[in-house]
Amino acid sequence: MKNLLIISTILILAGTIFGQQLNGTEIIEMTYSRPTSNTMEANLSMILENSRGDQRVREIKQFTKEFGDVEKKLMVFLKPNDVKNTTFMSWSFEDGSEDQWIYLPALKKVKRISSDSNSDYFMGSDFTYEDLGDRHPSEDRHKLTGEVSIDGHDCYIVESIPNDEEYMYSKTITWVIKDKWIGYKKEFYDEDEELLKELSLVNFDEHGDVIVLTEVKMNNVQNDHSTIMRLSDVEVNKAIADNKFTERMMKRGIR
Amino acid sequence: MIRQILTTILLAGSLLGQVEFGGYARNYIGVLTEGDQEFAIIQNTLDLTLQGWSGSVSYFANPTIYQSPGKDLSFDLSEIYLDMYFNNTDIRLGRQQIIWGKGDGVFITDIVSPKDLSEFLLPDFDEIRTGITALKLNQYIGDQTFEFVYIPTFTSTVFADTSSIWSRTPDFPVPMTTDYSEKDIPAMLENSEVFAKFSGILPFMDYEIMAGYMWDDDPSMHITPTYLGPPPALSGVTLSPQHHRLSVAGGSFSTELAGMVLRGEGAYYIGKHFQAQNAMDYPIDLLEKDYFHYLLGLDFSKGSTRFSTQFIQQAIMDYDELIVQEEAMNTLTFLANRTFLRETLTAQIFAYAGLNKSDALIRPTLSYDLADGFEVLGGANIFVKDANLGDEEDPGQFGYFDNNDMVYLKVKYSF
């Protein structure tokens, strides 16, 4: 599926060279199919901040690797201490299906968990599991509503309305940086079409043609709570053994 | 003594390249809600984990110290082992807890590490297991694993002391004496236990296939009656707990269906000794039978609440009407869990329900994370007994503790 998108992206790019105006769907397809690394290893810090300024910090070591039609991810929780060495593994298939497991050190057991909880919030943060994944462009109807320059970035503004009326957001609006095909800002609207959350890009790194978003901030405007997600020690296309994404490594942790 | 052991463990750990400490401190207080409202438990716990590693070798120790008012410090070394990692093979050697199966709170194929039932099923699951000294070898073949466990010496289930409110002793209308001379299994090569498991986590399904040649962790009660007469009348019994060999084969699976996780687990046991009535209607004889133990479980979410339920059955094969236990014992478990306030507040209810005796154990809890790693948990253990049962009738494993309802508070700091 993603291969098809890459071919269509090449065709779209050829179209833009000859001066054709992109539509909303094509812009979102470009962001979805921009080059990604085959592997990535990084430390992830999540800083949760409430309206009083109280902060809670979660630290995770994460590994990702593409295996043809499946992307495998392993996350080892390092902090807080009561969840230390808890491990989460997911295998995401191109058809959109996903297998997920969790290893809880106290139970000493790897458990398969349902991947049907994408609307749940991840570790008490402002990100849902769905927010952290790549939503396929075909799941929404996209419309280019304008172009604007923000903080020196020329952006397309694309409104996306989900095909599934039961989806947790009634619509999203994304500001896509034109020459990089990454989101600079995104607004999420609740079922009453009220603004719920704002995602903003704080920092990114370029590793060749691969762009890694190294710091983003999600602000829930309805309850004045925010989460900063910061990646550090990012290594892309580094050799990661295939067996990193197995039950064995879930139990062993980062060693 | 405890200080010396801890010092030795810490020093040994520090000899390895990198060392990491962790653990928790916990205060646990529980009071019975019936009778004189005695404190069922007042306990302060320091649980330490120490992990060191150097190259392809690592070391783990988990000493725990329990302190209760008016009692001596108690020390438990639940795990202490060495890991050796090779390319596709891992070897773990030492005292360890080994957990198998897909069931929650049920012991069907999860029988390698025996249980500590000194507080019935109430402790956290990691505290219910006792460590066993074993050699564990794992051979990895892609996403599948062959595991072999060799246990040189047998470890029995730990039962509550006879003075404990969690003690359950046989009920005879005559004086009883207990003879423990046959209880221990001599530490000899021929008395070893072996287990093997082949498992895999695959797209759409996880599975385990296992077999074991073991000792029954729960002793069978050999009862010698004394009769006076004529006519012969029971005047006394001598109880002699003894462990017997068991062979077991089974497996388990879990898979996702329509957003739910379906789990199953089953095992066939050969050679279990069941208590049976003798010619004078006393539960004195033992009959050797096979039995099948299995469960089916479903995990699902509804809104923000997570549910899990299991049906468990233990069925005795080639049943004899003289056996005290019913031919099929059915149990249900139910769990509902929901978090609030960004996962800092968790409400949960977990229940076992015995379907044969209409008894139950209901465990509601509410926990709040005051700060990261600092949890306050309040809960209750409510035992339910069928009110229609007569005094002579078996109230079931949960109904038996009907007078032990308690509320408790745990404050835990993880470091």
Side-chain angles (χ1 to χ4, degrees):
Chain A
M1 184 72 89
K2 202 151 186 172
N3 292 338
L4 278 176
L5 271 171
I6 289 168
I7 293 166
S8 63
T9 302
I10 293 166
L11 294 173
I12 292 164
L13 274 173
T16 56
I17 290 166
F18 292 104
Q20 287 178 4
Q21 174 68 49
L22 296 175
N23 63 34
T25 302
E26 290 166 339
I27 292 164
I28 295 301
E29 284 178 352
M30 293 288 284
T31 62
Y32 182 78
S33 55
R34 70 184 159 81
T36 53
S37 57
N38 285 329
T39 70
M40 189 169 87
E41 180 178 334
N43 294 318
L44 168 66
S45 293
M46 283 202 307
I47 300 141
L48 284 56
E49 186 172 309
N50 66 15
S51 55
R52 296 188 303 274
D54 300 333
Q55 289 191 343
R56 292 186 181 220
V57 178
R58 280 92 181 83
E59 290 183 9
I60 296 164
K61 180 86 177 174
Q62 64 176 37
F63 306 86
T64 314
K65 185 170 184 175
E66 297 274 355
F67 291 78
D69 62 349
V70 55
E71 182 191 80
K72 297 185 178 180
K73 180 182 273 189
L74 184 80
M75 303 174 93
V76 183
F77 296 86
L78 307 175
K79 278 188 179 168
N81 290 320
D82 54 350
V83 295
K84 189 175 178 180
N85 293 327
T86 296
T87 319
F88 171 82
M89 183 168 73
S90 66
W91 295 358
S92 306
F93 298 89
E94 280 211 349
D95 64 1
S97 63
E98 195 165 30
D99 290 322
Q100 296 180 346
W101 298 268
I102 192 162
Y103 172 70
L104 301 167
L107 295 181
K108 293 184 169 60
K109 192 153 77 172
V110 172
K111 273 182 77 86
R112 179 179 284 262
I113 55 174
S114 169
S115 56
D116 198 33
S117 51
N118 280 349
S119 59
D120 289 352
Y121 283 91
F122 177 66
M123 291 190 82
S125 74
D126 294 280
F127 292 86
T128 64
Y129 285 88
E130 172 84 16
D131 297 338
L132 297 171
D134 287 333
R135 184 169 170 82
H136 196 278
S138 64
E139 293 183 78
D140 303 297
R141 301 185 303 280
H142 309 282
K143 190 172 89 178
L144 175 65
T145 61
E147 300 179 26
V148 70
S149 182
I150 316 177
D151 302 331
H153 299 290
D154 291 333
C155 296
Y156 295 112
I157 307 171
V158 180
E159 181 183 276
S160 304
I161 295 175
N163 297 325
D164 178 4
E165 290 182 0
E166 300 298 311
Y167 186 55
M168 61 183 154
Y169 305 123
S170 58
K171 72 173 178 186
T172 58
I173 300 174
T174 312
W175 280 254
V176 177
I177 299 176
K178 282 184 174 179
D179 56 342
K180 301 198 182 301
W181 305 109
I182 55 175
Y184 186 67
K185 182 180 156 189
K186 188 170 183 175
E187 292 178 347
F188 302 79
Y189 291 80
D190 65 15
E191 59 262 30
D192 298 325
E193 300 194 11
E194 299 287 332
L195 179 62
L196 173 64
K197 299 190 294 189
E198 287 177 334
L199 177 68
S200 49
L201 176 64
V202 180
N203 218 337
F204 63 89
D205 282 347
E206 296 188 59
H207 300 259
D209 60 348
V210 175
I211 297 176
V212 178
L213 311 183
T214 50
E215 187 169 336
V216 292
K217 181 176 184 180
M218 182 75 92
N219 185 30
N220 186 318
V221 298
Q222 292 187 4
N223 62 18
D224 199 15
H225 192 281
S226 67
T227 301
I228 293 170
M229 236 182 217
R230 188 178 293 145
L231 287 178
S232 60
D233 302 320
V234 178
E235 294 185 84
V236 300
N237 292 325
K238 175 193 174 187
I240 298 177
D242 289 357
N243 72 1
K244 190 79 190 169
F245 307 90
T246 57
E247 183 179 8
R248 178 191 195 187
M249 292 303 166
M250 288 186 80
K251 290 180 175 174
R252 197 195 288 186
I254 56 172
R255 289 188 316 284
Chain B
M1 180 65 173
I2 291 172
R3 195 171 60 189
Q4 288 166 336
I5 294 170
L6 281 176
T7 306
T8 307
I9 291 169
L10 298 180
L11 276 175
S14 64
L15 294 176
L16 283 172
Q18 289 176 277
V19 182
E20 200 174 273
F21 294 91
Y24 65 83
R26 183 186 66 195
N27 175 258
Y28 175 16
I29 183 163
V31 63
L32 299 179
T33 57
E34 304 199 8
D36 296 334
Q37 299 182 329
E38 281 179 55
F39 285 108
I41 189 161
I42 302 177
Q43 185 185 70
N44 302 298
T45 306
L46 176 65
D47 180 281
L48 285 173
T49 58
L50 167 70
Q51 202 157 14
W53 62 95
S54 174
S56 58
V57 180
S58 78
Y59 163 100
F60 180 83
N62 181 201
T64 310
I65 300 169
Y66 298 97
Q67 188 275 331
S68 295
K71 294 183 181 173
D72 291 336
L73 281 182
S74 120
F75 175 79
D76 183 30
L77 191 53
S78 58
E79 292 190 288
I80 180 162
Y81 56 75
L82 277 166
D83 276 327
M84 288 161 274
Y85 306 117
F86 302 96
N87 196 21
N88 290 310
T89 308
D90 293 343
I91 294 174
R92 177 168 292 176
L93 193 58
R95 187 170 163 85
Q96 54 192 289
Q97 295 174 346
I98 297 172
I99 315 297
W100 286 1
K102 305 292 181 195
D104 290 332
V106 186
F107 307 91
I108 296 175
T109 62
D110 184 14
I111 47 171
V112 183
S113 287
K115 303 177 285 291
D116 181 346
L117 299 180
S118 51
E119 290 174 54
F120 192 49
L121 293 168
L122 304 184
D124 295 337
F125 283 124
D126 56 329
E127 291 180 89
I128 282 185
R129 321 280 177 174
T130 54
I132 40 159
T133 298
L135 162 75
K136 181 162 74 79
L137 181 145
N138 287 81
Q139 179 70 36
Y140 302 99
I141 310 138
D143 292 314
Q144 302 182 90
T145 308
F146 173 73
E147 183 167 315
F148 173 79
V149 179
Y150 172 71
I151 305 170
T153 58
F154 169 68
T155 306
S156 165
T157 300
V158 177
F159 291 99
D161 188 80
T162 49
S163 61
S164 163
I165 59 171
W166 304 112
S167 169
R168 188 171 185 183
T169 50
D171 191 19
F172 281 98
V174 292
M176 292 184 290
T177 54
T178 307
D179 172 13
Y180 291 105
S181 63
E182 302 287 326
K183 186 174 184 297
D184 293 334
I185 304 296
M188 296 159 61
L189 186 63
E190 65 173 349
N191 290 335
S192 305
E193 294 180 301
V194 287
F195 295 88
K197 180 180 77 165
F198 191 74
S199 64
I201 60 169
L202 305 172
F204 316 118
M205 179 174 283
D206 310 338
Y207 71 91
E208 293 182 3
I209 301 164
M210 59 77 69
Y213 182 60
M214 58 187 285
W215 291 95
D216 190 348
D217 290 341
D218 303 338
S220 301
M221 206 57 78
H222 289 247
I223 301 172
T224 308
T226 308
Y227 295 103
L228 286 178
L234 188 69
S235 62
V237 290
T238 302
L239 311 178
S240 172
Q242 295 177 32
H243 296 276
H244 295 275
R245 278 290 191 183
L246 281 179
S247 299
V248 59
S252 60
F253 73 92
S254 63
T255 186
E256 187 174 355
L257 286 176
M260 298 183 284
V261 174
L262 174 68
R263 294 179 284 115
E265 184 171 340
Y268 191 87
Y269 289 75
I270 301 169
K272 172 79 176 177
H273 288 66
F274 289 94
Q275 217 74 43
Q277 305 281 358
N278 71 354
M280 297 181 69
D281 274 354
Y282 289 111
I284 280 175
D285 289 348
L286 284 172
L287 288 180
E288 187 177 331
K289 296 288 178 184
D290 301 345
Y291 72 95
F292 185 53
H293 201 183
Y294 71 94
L295 74 79
L296 279 174
L298 203 59
D299 305 334
F300 58 98
S301 296
K302 193 86 178 162
S304 302
T305 309
R306 189 167 55 85
F307 296 94
S308 178
T309 184
Q310 301 176 124
F311 170 77
I312 305 129
Q313 184 175 71
Q314 187 191 38
I316 301 171
M317 304 287 110
D318 186 25
Y319 188 71
D320 189 313
E321 294 298 331
L322 293 174
I323 293 174
V324 174
Q325 181 176 314
E326 291 183 41
E327 183 174 5
M329 295 293 292
N330 302 320
T331 308
L332 276 180
T333 68
F334 173 80
L335 169 88
N337 177 294
R338 182 165 180 176
T339 61
F340 303 87
L341 304 174
R342 296 183 176 276
E343 299 187 7
T344 54
L345 180 68
T346 304
Q348 177 172 297
I349 185 162
F350 178 72
Y352 291 98
L355 302 184
N356 295 60
K357 305 291 181 186
S358 301
D359 62 333
L361 166 58
I362 303 165
R363 308 192 68 191
T365 57
L366 191 66
S367 64
Y368 181 65
D369 293 346
L370 281 171
D372 283 341
F374 195 170
E375 180 195 65
V376 178
L377 183 147
N381 300 317
I382 303 159
F383 291 89
V384 179
K385 175 184 167 185
D386 183 353
N388 298 320
L389 284 180
D391 289 343
E392 300 297 313
E393 293 181 82
D394 177 11
Q397 63 168 326
F398 308 112
Y400 185 84
F401 298 113
D402 188 36
N403 295 323
N404 287 4
D405 291 352
M406 64 186 277
V407 291
Y408 61 91
L409 185 74
K410 291 180 181 179
V411 182
K412 183 176 175 181
Y413 177 66
S414 301
F415 52 87

